[in-house]
Amino acid sequence: IKLKSAADTPADIRYVVCNADEGDPGAYSDRYLMEHQPYQVLFGMITAGYAIGSSWGVLYIRAEYPDSPRIIQDAIDKMTEAGLIGENILGTGFDFHFKIIKAQGAYICGEETALLSSIEGQRPEVRIRPPYPTQEGLFGKPTVVNNVETLAALYHIFETSGKDYAQLGTEKSKGTKLVSLDGHFKNPGIYEVEMGTPLSQVINELGGGFKHPVKALQIGGPLGGIVPVHKIDELNIDFESFNQNGFLLGHGSIVGIPQNFPMIKYLEHLLEFAAYESCGKCFPCRLGTKRGQELI
């Protein structure tokens, strides 16, 4: 939808932006892809650029990942030497270049419009939509902003077909999802699962269960919702299942909250984080998060 929208918007220049500002605590799937599968990410950006008629790809990489920009730049250099990046790629008349932006650690920049403002050198505040970035994005030009995982999936979609890829997952959540399991699991790490996989299967079979008693799971980052362990059997790894139960799947990070850690202390920490990381644009967030922290 984003690619078609950007391609259909008249413009002399368009941009492809990779959102690699992975700010959710406990999420590290973007880091894995950039540092271990960099060519998949770059291929996805080049093909997205080809689809919309863009000659520029911008990677906005989280400050806390010092190795990612270096590894991505090394991959860009090797692809440029091979004639797969630059002017007139493989004699097709198609040009594509990359720019790496090293983020400065602001959580709000994970939101696509704040990210665009940051690239432009402005204060990173969330923009009013519409217009959407695909019509008026980076420097006012049509821009496709996708996360690392979405762009990396393009290689497999091309290799098989869109039809085959769409057969994976559920009706509304297609394909696969990378989930990050933290140190409270017996088998922590990154796992790729088909959308619609029961959450209980991810926790018990892939994660091997918990090392010690856990009473709840923080899924999808600090604003994603806290899932009590008794709800695990009711959830699947897909967006609709989480929405129906009042949670967010988000980036797929799963962080355990131990039985002996006070929940009120955990909530205070979340509100402190939200208050500190607010971009300061709107009253409910700028003031509300601070009042919430004080109340807790």
Side-chain angles (χ1 to χ4, degrees), residues 187 191 200-209:
N187 304 320
Y191 295 91
S200 58
Q201 188 178 329
V202 172
I203 289 166
N204 298 318
E205 293 179 25
L206 300 179

Side-chain angles (χ1 to χ4, degrees), residues 265-286:
K265 192 174 177 182
Y266 194 85
L267 291 173
E268 184 192 11
H269 177 62
L270 289 183
L271 280 161
E272 180 186 20
F273 177 87
Y276 181 78
E277 294 289 353
S278 170
C279 79
K281 184 167 184 173
C282 309
F283 278 178
C285 177
R286 186 174 75 220

Side-chain angles (χ1 to χ4, degrees), residues 2 30 33 44 145-155 157 165:
K2 285 184 177 181
D30 288 359
L33 288 169
V145 186
N146 279 132
N147 65 31
V148 180
E149 193 174 347
T150 300
L151 290 162
L154 278 173
Y155 176 78
I157 293 169
Y165 191 81

Side-chain angles (χ1 to χ4, degrees), residues 41 47 78 88 102 145 181 189:
V41 179
T47 48
K78 287 177 180 171
N88 192 25
K102 295 179 184 178
V145 186
L181 305 186

Side-chain angles (χ1 to χ4, degrees), residues 197-204 210 214-219 224-238 240-249 254 263:
T197 301
L199 179 60
S200 58
Q201 188 178 329
V202 172
I203 289 166
N204 298 318
F210 303 111
V214 165
K215 59 184 170 185
L217 300 170
Q218 175 80 65
I219 301 180
I226 296 169
V227 179
V229 287
H230 67 80
K231 295 281 284 183
I232 288 172
D233 290 336
E234 300 173 32
L235 295 169
N236 301 320
I237 301 293
D238 58 57
E240 52 266 48
S241 163
F242 272 71
N243 287 344
Q244 286 162 10
N245 284 275
F247 304 114
L248 288 172
L249 176 60
I254 303 180
M263 190 57 79

Side-chain angles (χ1 to χ4, degrees), residues 89-112:
I89 297 172
L90 301 178
T92 58
F94 171 59
D95 307 333
F96 202 78
H97 306 273
F98 283 97
K99 172 81 174 172
I100 295 174
I101 304 286
K102 295 179 184 178
Q104 298 299 311
Y107 182 69
I108 191 67
C109 288
E111 195 281 330
E112 63 179 10

